[in-house]
Each structure stands twice: as C-alpha cells, then as structure tokens.
Amino acid sequence: FIKENFSNAPSRDLGTDCLNMLVQLVLGQARECLLEKTVMGLQDGNDLDLCLELSQEAAHVSTAYDEVLRATVDTTVKDCMPYSWLCLVQVKREHYRAMADYYVALGLSNQQAEL
C-alpha cells in the first residue's frame, strides 16, 4: 500500500529502495519461520530425503537474506538502516548457508552408515 501510494516519500525510510529492502527482509523472516517449524517438527533425522529438503529450504533462507543485503548495499538504504541490522542479516545469511551444508552432510553420513 505504502509503496504504491507514496510517490514522494516524506522520509527516507518510506522511499522505494527502503521499502523493497523491508519486503525482502519480511520474506526472508517468513521463510526462516517455515524452516524452523519444519526442524522443530522433525521426528526422525535419519531420512536422506528429509535432510535434503531441510538443506534446500535453509539454502533458500540464506538466499533470501543475501537479497536483503544486496538491496541494502547497492542502494542508499545503508544510510538509514542501523549497522546492527546489517550485521545481523549477514550473520543469518551465513548461519543458514552453514545449516544447509549441515543437513546435506547429516543425510549423507546417515545414508553411508546404512550401507
């Protein structure tokens, strides 16, 4: 609504670049919630298919946070975004990238143990 109805934003945080970054941030947080819900409901972590699915979802979350960083660094948004937010987004991007690698390794190690 705000993005479509404010052609001249009254402040920098309502500018197009900032709103695009905030949309990407909210989408990343939503994907993060879905991943965490799936991980919490995990009964048996030994299934290769489930581990690969979790890995893929974690990679998507990492990519979503990478999009937030790209939307921040490439524009004037970095001037109005707190530095701590930028650091947190970087940490989350790397955390979910590592989580993706972890679930691939877990699935493959469990698969190898069964052979």
Side-chain angles (χ1 to χ4, degrees):
F1 174 79
I2 295 172
K3 188 174 164 182
E4 295 171 0
N5 294 319
F6 280 105
S7 58
N8 295 321
S11 64
R12 288 187 308 176
D13 61 339
L14 290 176
T16 305
D17 291 339
C18 191
L19 290 176
N20 286 333
M21 183 277 302
L22 290 172
V23 166
Q24 292 300 321
L25 181 63
V26 170
L27 290 173
Q29 290 173 331
R31 285 203 88 120
E32 182 180 353
C33 290
L34 290 173
L35 173 65
E36 294 298 327
K37 182 179 177 185
T38 305
V39 169
M40 286 176 50
L42 184 64
Q43 296 292 330
D44 183 22
N46 295 334
D47 184 24
L48 177 63
D49 292 334
L50 181 59
C51 286
L52 293 179
E53 181 182 328
L54 288 171
S55 172
Q56 188 174 27
E57 188 60 37
H60 285 302
V61 173
S62 176
T63 302
Y65 283 121
D66 193 45
E67 291 294 323
V68 172
L69 286 173
R70 196 171 299 124
T72 301
V73 174
D74 294 343
T75 62
T76 59
V77 174
K78 64 184 170 208
D79 297 333
C80 64
M81 183 177 183
Y83 181 72
S84 59
W85 281 27
L86 185 62
C87 291
L88 182 62
V89 170
Q90 289 173 334
V91 167
K92 284 185 172 220
R93 177 190 62 184
E94 296 304 321
H95 169 74
Y96 287 106
R97 187 176 295 160
M99 186 182 244
D101 293 340
Y102 168 77
Y103 279 112
V104 167
L106 179 66
L108 292 176
S109 68
N110 289 337
Q111 186 72 18
Q112 184 181 12
E114 291 175 5
L115 297 176

